[in-house]
Amino acid sequence: MTSSSLRVAMVGHAFMGNAHSQAWRTAPHFFDLPLRPEMAVVVGRDAGRAAEAAARLGWADSSTDWREAIARDDVDLVDICTPGDTHAEIAIAALGAGKHVLCEKPLANTVAEAEQMTAAAEEARAHGVRTMVGFTYRRVPAIALARRLVQEGRIGDVRHVRAQYLQDWIADPEAPLSWRLDKTRAGSGALGDIGAHVIDLAQHVTGDRIAEVAGRLETFVKERPYPAGDTAGTLGGGGASSERGPVTVDDAVSFLATFSSGAMGVFEATRFATGRKNAIRLEINGSLGSVAFDFEDMNVLEYFDAREDPEVGGFRRILVTEPGHPYVAAWWPPGHGLGYEHGFTHQVVDLVEALAADRDPSPSFADGLQVQRVLAAVETSSDTRTWQEITR
Ligand code: SOE
């Protein structure tokens, strides 16, 4: 890093690349950052599309060679926005080149890859090189407030954690295949793609760790049409071709969990919750009260204080838009609300502030590895119909 800038190379420019680009562009305009992000280069597989993305998203340059991009002297940080099967190779190479790494979730497609990435991160950390995993929902103000209340003891001892991530984008059996439905690319389906988010959120808000799980994965639709314009074996977006191929990942997962504290968890992640578009729901019941959140009403946190006079008690809707609420002071007056993209912007803020202070961003690769271990334990539990412990 130069004394005042943080020069970024982003690999991948699809949905996550768009969201991350918005964050790199926007963060310095709303937050007083100790380092100025510079969007040096965006990397894509196709030269024309990468150049178009650079112009549209605000990157100074574009490339089709991620190895060349991470080796550049004018790059301090590599932002990985590609499917999970590429995370390990890119992250380990970037860390080896002395670059900080921000990697999209889940960290990897397997525990083995996540362990290799975390080992590389530990080695690079000795030289002041840092890592972060992109669990952005923890940076929604209402979630950050929920964590503050729980950590302050406002709901007492946590007894129950109820966490759901409900989508329905492939409830149509004729929705075409994509990389997210291919185990070799994505590692798993709803489990790793959206289950990882609610595992991270539940652990982040409670400050506790999942110790054991018992779960079940299901694939409701076992084959789908390939996307139009693709041949067998390649996957992409767009319309449907006449050829069909196998779905090799889970469509949905349910699992029970026991936290280290003894708290009981019930988790669900599905792409078949017909009518639910991006409903991340978290409810935590404690001995003195509860908090409840639904991303489809993301500027509100519900809070129940068991110590209130029962005559006037009840869940209150906190509109999390006051200047004293996490992240909010940088944005709009009370009641104006934030959106999906703000979690990504807050991610850049927290990352840049950690790097400038020479401390580990959170969640680090080690945190991402622990989530990977929970994912693997759920998969093993489903295969063996047994409870599985998460040992580390
Ligand atoms: C698809 O399920 C997806 O894009 C996830 O991959 C993202 O992590 C989530 O934020 C939105 O849904």
Side-chain angles (χ1 to χ4, degrees):
M1 289 180 285
T2 64
S3 58
S4 61
S5 69
L6 177 70
R7 300 161 298 179
V8 181
M10 183 177 76
V11 186
H13 53 78
F15 178 8
M16 286 301 113
N18 277 261
H20 284 231
S21 298
Q22 177 279 144
W24 290 116
R25 285 196 312 271
T26 306
H29 297 298
F30 282 85
F31 292 83
D32 181 15
L33 296 181
L35 294 172
R36 186 184 64 261
E38 290 183 13
M39 301 167 71
V41 57
V42 57
V43 181
R45 287 175 294 179
D46 174 89
R49 288 209 295 261
E52 186 277 329
R56 179 166 48 84
L57 300 174
W59 294 87
D61 195 2
S62 64
S63 167
T64 57
D65 182 344
W66 63 262
R67 290 178 180 79
E68 173 266 337
I70 69 174
R72 287 171 47 156
D73 291 338
D74 65 340
V75 167
D76 305 305
L77 180 142
V78 176
D79 183 3
I80 303 173
C81 294
T82 53
D85 62 325
T86 61
H87 289 184
E89 184 181 18
I90 298 171
I92 292 169
L95 291 165
K99 315 295 179 165
H100 304 296
V101 177
L102 168 59
C103 184
E104 259 299 322
K105 43 49 64 181
L107 181 61
N109 283 0
T110 65
V111 169
E113 286 175 347
E115 286 173 339
Q116 291 161 10
M117 295 167 79
T118 303
E122 285 307 307
E123 197 171 318
R125 187 169 173 273
H127 308 285
V129 176
R130 310 283 178 178
T131 60
M132 182 190 255
V133 186
F135 286 114
T136 53
Y137 291 116
R138 54 168 63 194
R139 305 183 202 281
V140 171
I143 287 287
L145 177 62
R147 173 179 164 87
R148 184 190 293 176
L149 296 179
V150 173
Q151 299 306 312
E152 287 171 354
R154 305 282 284 266
I155 68 169
D157 297 327
V158 172
R159 303 278 193 252
H160 287 284
V161 176
R162 212 159 291 115
Q164 301 170 323
Y165 199 145
L166 312 176
Q167 294 181 335
D168 72 355
W169 58 283
I170 53 169
D172 174 358
E174 289 307 303
L177 289 166
S178 68
W179 68 264
R180 281 187 168 84
L181 305 183
D182 175 0
K183 190 175 183 65
T184 64
R185 302 293 308 282
S188 64
L191 174 65
D193 182 25
I194 51 179
H197 277 302
V198 285
I199 290 166
D200 176 67
L201 283 181
Q203 296 188 134
H204 178 64
V205 173
T206 60
D208 198 350
R209 287 284 168 97
I210 293 172
E212 60 173 3
V213 294
R216 175 169 174 262
L217 278 64
E218 183 57 76
T219 304
F220 298 115
V221 175
K222 304 201 188 309
E223 69 157 30
R224 292 177 178 270
Y226 283 113
D230 278 343
T231 56
T234 60
L235 299 168
S241 78
S242 56
E243 286 185 77
R244 304 178 76 81
V247 174
T248 54
V249 296
D250 55 287
D251 288 329
V253 58
S254 300
F255 65 94
L256 300 176
T258 307
F259 287 76
S260 302
S261 65
M264 300 176 73
V266 180
F267 289 78
E268 193 180 3
T270 178
R271 295 160 164 172
F272 278 69
T274 314
R276 299 298 179 199
K277 301 308 174 181
N278 203 45
I280 304 163
R281 296 172 172 175
L282 182 67
E283 179 162 327
I284 300 173
N285 306 132
S287 55
L288 299 177
S290 295
V291 288
F293 170 80
D294 183 342
F295 184 77
E296 290 189 348
D297 191 10
M298 67 171 280
N299 289 285
V300 170
L301 179 69
E302 293 192 350
Y303 169 55
F304 178 82
D305 181 347
R307 291 160 293 190
E308 272 194 323
D309 173 355
E311 197 166 324
V312 293
F315 270 97
R316 71 177 76 135
R317 279 173 58 87
I318 303 171
L319 190 54
V320 188
T321 59
E322 296 298 315
H325 287 144
Y327 305 105
V328 171
W331 298 102
W332 318 122
H336 288 65
L338 301 184
Y340 170 73
E341 74 279 12
H342 290 86
F344 291 86
T345 304
H346 300 158
Q347 174 171 264
V348 164
V349 173
D350 292 347
L351 173 56
V352 169
E353 288 179 347
L355 295 180
D358 195 23
R359 56 180 165 77
D360 285 332
S362 175
S364 66
F365 276 18
D367 299 315
L369 170 58
Q370 189 270 342
V371 171
Q372 207 76 42
R373 289 198 166 107
V374 176
L375 297 173
V378 173
E379 209 151 11
T380 303
S381 172
S382 181
D383 292 342
T384 61
R385 292 288 195 267
T386 59
W387 278 88
Q388 293 291 315
E389 283 188 15
I390 289 85
T391 48
R392 286 172 284 175

